[in-house]
Amino acid sequence: MKLHIVPARAGLEWVRLGIRVFWRQPMALAALFFMTMAAMSLATMLPLIGPAVALGLLPSATLAMMVAAAEASQDRVPTPALLLVAFRTGKQRLNHMLTLGALYAVGFLGLMGLSALVDGGQFARVYLGGEPLTREMAESGSFQAAMWLSLLLYVPLSLLFWHAPGLVHWHNVPPVKALFFSIVACLRNFGAFTVYGLSWMGVFLGAGVVISLLVTMLSAIGLGAGMAGGIMVATAMMLAAMFFSSVVFTFRDSFDTPHHDHGDSPAAASPEQDS
């Protein structure tokens, strides 16, 4: 396995490919993304351990979208079965993915624990426990400090896990090594990832402006009030699915295409070049 260093402009290309591959199979990719989010939401309902279980499922959910986007880029239709792709590629990889999920849950909960030292746990209760966010709480200096601390700490956590699911799945790398290789790859390609992040921010902001104008126009003819919520939720889900569809291209350009030892099923397909 060899790390590739890519130019900063690759970040924009990753965004373009993510949007492009989504529109190759919009219904399949949007449905798969919705199912992953629904599964995580259902997991949060488990007594006591729900939030931790949901967090532990995130690497597997990310991998499902990566494999689905790889399938779509090769002109194959992603199926709902890919939701379980992390659990169908052998005992060793299953153990690695379960370990990766546990490490992510521990890392995120640790992050929330550190934020609780700042505001007594208010931000953590809102984010994880579903406690209503009041105006007074949002304007609290300690709450805002906890929120920004969490965001700051989440950046290295995100880089650690960015490539890790793909490294476990396609290269059979053990979890701790996958975390190390992931953050090294992100840091070595810092320019490309900066452009990638800024480009997605631009896409989300641009879409927000367009949706606001659309809702305003609909309101002018008496339809906006009833449709605004549905339009905004649908757009947010679609953009999120596009974003997760682009992750596989950041992985593909950062590492060598793997040689497989676990079959030629669609779930084992490597993230080949999108044409």
Side-chain angles (χ1 to χ4, degrees):
M1 183 181 66
K2 181 181 179 181
L3 171 63
H4 295 162
I5 309 301
V6 299
R9 65 177 180 275
L12 185 59
E13 180 68 2
W14 295 337
V15 175
R16 186 189 71 83
L17 288 173
I19 296 172
R20 180 180 176 183
V21 80
F22 175 83
W23 286 111
R24 284 189 178 185
Q25 298 289 344
M27 295 301 294
L29 289 171
L32 185 65
F33 177 76
F34 177 81
M35 285 189 289
T36 61
M37 294 300 102
M40 293 176 65
S41 296
L42 288 173
T44 62
M45 298 179 184
L46 294 172
L48 301 177
I49 61 171
V53 172
L55 289 169
L57 289 175
L58 186 59
S60 300
T62 302
L63 177 63
M65 291 302 298
M66 291 174 71
V67 175
E71 292 284 282
S73 72
Q74 297 170 46
D75 294 321
R76 292 196 286 261
V77 180
T79 67
L82 293 181
L83 186 65
L84 300 176
V85 66
F87 311 107
R88 298 191 293 112
T89 51
K91 184 177 180 180
Q92 186 179 54
R93 284 178 172 81
L94 170 60
N95 290 335
H96 287 345
M97 285 302 299
L98 291 175
T99 302
L100 204 62
L103 290 173
Y104 182 82
V106 169
F108 194 91
L109 291 174
L111 180 156
M112 289 288 105
L114 290 174
S115 76
L117 298 177
V118 177
D119 70 343
Q122 279 190 330
F123 177 75
R125 289 193 295 272
V126 170
Y127 193 89
L128 294 175
E131 181 177 316
L133 177 62
T134 64
R135 180 176 179 180
E136 293 76 15
M137 191 185 298
E139 293 176 349
S140 167
S142 61
F143 183 89
Q144 293 181 13
M147 179 185 67
W148 285 110
L149 175 63
S150 298
L151 180 61
L152 182 65
L153 293 175
Y154 186 73
V155 172
L157 182 68
S158 176
L159 298 183
L160 278 168
F161 284 87
W162 190 266
H163 295 302
L167 287 168
V168 167
H169 179 73
W170 280 300
H171 289 280
N172 198 23
V173 178
V176 175
K177 286 187 177 180
L179 296 177
F180 173 76
F181 292 148
S182 175
I183 196 167
V184 168
C186 291
L187 293 177
R188 292 292 300 275
N189 287 312
F190 181 77
F193 275 92
T194 299
V195 172
Y196 175 75
L198 292 175
S199 298
W200 272 117
M201 286 178 60
V203 170
F204 276 81
L205 289 173
V209 171
V210 171
I211 294 303
S212 296
L213 292 174
L214 177 61
V215 170
T216 300
M217 292 173 60
L218 291 174
S219 297
I221 57 175
L223 298 176
M227 300 178 64
I231 292 173
M232 288 188 288
V233 170
T235 302
M237 292 287 287
M238 183 178 67
L239 289 172
M242 289 182 188
F243 172 78
F244 278 95
S245 296
S246 72
V247 173
V248 71
F249 300 106
T250 73
F251 177 84
R252 181 203 66 188
D253 287 353
S254 296
F255 299 96
D256 282 331
T257 299
H259 299 285
H260 305 296
D261 58 4
H262 56 285
D264 297 319
S265 68
S270 63
E272 296 173 2
Q273 179 71 31
D274 182 75
S275 58

